[in-house]
Every structure is written in structure tokens, then in C-alpha cells.
Amino acid sequence: MKSKSALALLAVLALAACGNDKAPVASDQNSGKSPLAEYMGDGFVSSSGSGGSFRIATRAGGAQQPSDEELAKQRKVEDATVACMKDAGFEYVAVPPEQQAKSKFSDAFNLPPDKFAEQYGYGVSTIDWSKAGQDDSNPNTKIRKALSPTAQKAYDKALNGPNATGNGAIVVQGSGPNSSGQMDLGCRGKAVKQVYGDNAKGNIDFKKFDSLFKDIQALQKRIDSDQRVVDATSAWSDCMANAGHPGYKTVSDPRDEVQKKLDTLTGNQPPAKGGGGPAKTITGPPSFDKVDAAKLADLRKLEIELAVADQKCKAKGYDDAYKKVQYEQEKEFVDQHKTELEAYRDEMANR
């Protein structure tokens, strides 16, 4: 079984090709699996009010504990990474998987939606995602920090490949993986391949699921256009206006507004929707280090106010109406696409 982080990257690349350019939302919470999530995985999120988009993501704290066999393989990956980095001229210390720190945002992810909204809003401007991968207790973090800026870039390239950034994010510009279908993930990627093997070149061929992804997008649009959801959205909009936040027509509008304001503050350029060709850009989140502190504080205040009102208004009827339509439509979709869904589920399970 390949690492979940590698699968997450591949899933992002595949879904980007389908027009799903939104980042995972930290506050997305589902009580139980929907019919489609049974096949698409625990991280499948049906994005209401988003014009047909959906997300597949892994969430901290949601994975099962690894088996002894898996832990042994992870140790071998660490040892192989040490050897590879040594050959590249860098020191790397193997970190036993048992000592790997949990995500610094795990506690936040496990909060109920209303409590998350009160503390983090939507998790857009309130969490500096560029710092998510940093762990000062990891000896390799200290080793990297001791290097010069130029040496740090060389270290990152050796460890995670030429598309890596200092926080472990992958930046892909152009058409993504090379013509062989493989992406250079540095010593980590070589170590994973060495330990887990090169099953089907180590990649999932998401292109064969393009038709399924497009059908799911069409399903999402049908859910959003169902009259019950339309009526519930109108009631939600009126509730938001009464709470002092008028003008929102779809449930994704408040979060989208916060994201646009943050992009303006950070100078981040999100991928153009629709695209003008095959080139794609997938980058790590922008840092808040150089953002005007006062403006960021104002945005965070607005975000929390919006998210709290949003949660309260959805709870008054929208959530129940949407879930009822979603489950009805997804059950029918599963009945009609069971063969393709089983193929996708089996493909993911075998990696």
C-alpha cells in the first residue's frame, strides 16, 4: 500500500484536470458516510453550492492505526532516505514512525463544525497552512534550519524532488508528471519505491476514471438544482442577511469571499478556471509572513463572524434538506455506476 500523502497528491492532480481547483476545507464534517463516500473514500466531500465540484481529501486523525508490517516498511523507508540523502551530501536522521508527531492542526480538525467556526472560521485566513508541515521536534527540521538559504533549496530538492518547497508542499507547473508518467519526488520518492515496489510505475492512472469524475460533477449539479435545495438555499440566504451578512446567493459564497480577500493580501494567484490549455499549476499554500498584520486580523475577524452565522443558518434547515437530496441522488447514482465505482475503490485499495 502506497503512502496516503502520495495518494493525496495524485488525487489532487487528477481532480485538477476535472476543474476542481478548490482546496480542502478544514471545517468540512460529515456524520456518517454518504452512499458515494462508501466507494470514493472517507475524505470524499460533496461540495454544496459549488457548481458541481467535489473533493477527495485525507483528514488528520481519521486514519486507522498502521499494522506492525506497515510500521516496519515505514522504518525501511526512513532508512533508505538516510542513505539516499547521504549520497546527495546531506545529513538526514531516520524518524521512527511511532515518534512521528501528529498534525499540528489535528485537534482543530476534530472539533464539531460549530466549535471549529467559532475558533477558526472556515480555516482560510485563520490557519497558516504554509506552516502545517513544520515540526520543531523533528531533528531534520533543525538540520535544515542550520543550512544557508541556498543549501536549504538543495536539501529540499534532494529530499522531495525539484518541485518541492521548504514545507514539503509540491509545486507543479506545466503538464505535471513527465512523459513517463512519473514525478521526481527525490529521496523520499526513491525510498518509497524501493520499499513498496514499482507497481504499475507507482502511479494510479486517473485518466481512466475521467468519465466517472465528470459524471460525479454532473450529479453534484443535479443536487444543487433540486428544488428542495434551491428553496433551502434561499432560506439560508435570507437568514444570512438577517444576521447582517446580505448578498450571498450560494452557500459557498462566504468562504469564497474570504479566500479572495486572502489571495489579495498574500498576492496569491489561484489557477484560472476552465484553463486555456494543458498547463496547470499546483502549489503549496502562501505564507502569511509578509502579510499586513492589521489587515489579516480584520480578515480573520470577518471570517469567524461569517462562518459562525453560516453554521447557524445552515442548521436551521439547509443541512437537513441538502443531506436528504444528496443521499437520494447518490444512492441512485451508485446503482447506475456501481461497476465504475467498484473499480475505482479497488484501484485505491490496492495502492
Side-chain angles (χ1 to χ4, degrees):
M1 182 178 180
K2 295 288 187 273
S3 69
K4 287 183 180 295
S5 59
L7 290 178
L9 170 62
L10 292 170
V12 169
L13 288 170
L15 295 181
C18 294
N20 293 281
D21 54 6
K22 289 187 178 183
V25 181
S27 57
D28 281 331
Q29 303 279 347
N30 286 329
S31 56
K33 289 183 180 180
S34 72
L36 196 51
E38 292 286 349
Y39 295 88
M40 302 302 291
D42 289 338
F44 175 79
V45 179
S46 175
S47 302
S48 58
S50 56
S53 72
F54 62 95
R55 295 185 293 273
I56 301 174
T58 56
R59 181 177 295 116
Q64 295 180 345
Q65 292 297 317
S67 65
D68 290 341
E69 180 184 2
E70 177 63 24
L71 289 173
K73 288 184 176 181
Q74 290 179 21
R75 293 188 197 98
K76 289 181 179 179
V77 169
E78 285 291 301
D79 291 340
T81 303
V82 170
C84 178
M85 289 294 284
K86 183 177 181 180
D87 290 342
F90 294 103
E91 179 184 5
Y92 181 87
V93 177
V95 180
E98 300 89 342
Q99 297 179 18
Q100 301 259 1
K102 68 178 181 178
S103 165
K104 64 194 300 182
F105 302 126
S106 292
D107 291 340
F109 289 141
N110 290 325
L111 289 172
D114 57 338
K115 298 300 182 184
F116 186 96
E118 290 173 3
Q119 295 185 43
Y120 299 99
Y122 298 106
V124 176
S125 68
T126 56
I127 296 177
D128 188 346
W129 292 101
S130 70
K131 304 293 194 299
Q134 297 182 2
D135 175 18
D136 290 335
S137 68
N138 187 322
N140 298 300
T141 300
K142 298 175 182 177
I143 291 171
R144 182 184 179 279
K145 283 184 176 180
L147 300 174
S148 68
T150 300
Q152 286 181 357
K153 291 181 180 180
Y155 179 96
D156 296 337
K157 180 179 179 180
L159 182 60
N160 293 315
N163 299 310
T165 64
N167 61 7
I170 304 296
V171 179
V172 180
Q173 293 182 318
S175 57
N178 61 36
S179 58
S180 69
Q182 303 228 25
M183 184 184 296
D184 184 358
L185 297 178
C187 284
R188 286 193 193 279
K190 292 176 183 177
V192 169
K193 180 179 176 181
Q194 178 180 326
V195 174
Y196 289 92
D198 191 19
N199 184 19
K201 296 186 178 181
N203 288 327
I204 295 175
D205 181 10
F206 280 103
K207 288 185 178 180
K208 64 185 179 183
F209 297 113
D210 279 352
S211 177
L212 175 63
F213 291 151
K214 290 177 181 178
D215 287 343
I216 293 176
Q217 285 182 296
L219 165 68
Q220 183 63 63
K221 290 180 179 179
R222 291 197 298 274
I223 294 172
D224 287 340
S225 62
D226 186 284
Q227 191 59 48
R228 291 167 291 178
V229 173
V230 172
D231 292 343
T233 302
S234 178
W236 166 88
S237 178
D238 291 341
C239 177
M240 289 291 287
N242 292 335
H245 306 289
Y248 297 116
K249 301 301 182 184
T250 72
V251 294
S252 64
D253 285 350
R255 183 190 182 277
D256 289 347
E257 179 185 354
V258 174
Q259 184 64 62
K260 289 177 182 178
K261 288 180 180 294
L262 181 64
D263 288 340
T264 299
L265 287 180
T266 62
N268 184 48
Q269 295 292 329
K273 292 186 177 182
K280 299 185 185 302
T281 301
I282 300 176
T283 65
S287 171
F288 296 171
D289 290 346
K290 297 182 180 180
V291 173
D292 184 292
K295 292 181 179 180
L296 181 60
D298 289 341
L299 179 57
R300 286 173 169 170
K301 182 175 182 292
L302 171 64
E303 177 178 349
I304 290 174
E305 290 176 354
L306 280 174
V308 169
D310 189 4
Q311 284 289 339
K312 290 179 178 178
C313 289
K314 284 178 179 175
K316 290 184 177 180
Y318 176 88
D319 284 340
D320 288 343
Y322 182 86
K323 185 174 182 178
K324 183 176 182 179
V325 175
Q326 176 196 358
Y327 276 49
E328 286 179 3
Q329 294 275 9
E330 285 190 8
K331 185 178 184 302
E332 181 179 341
F333 183 90
V334 168
D335 291 341
Q336 296 173 351
H337 297 78
K338 196 163 188 176
T339 300
E340 302 100 301
L341 289 168
E342 288 177 343
Y344 176 85
R345 181 187 61 193
D346 294 344
E347 183 84 8
M348 295 297 287
N350 291 330
R351 289 300 188 264

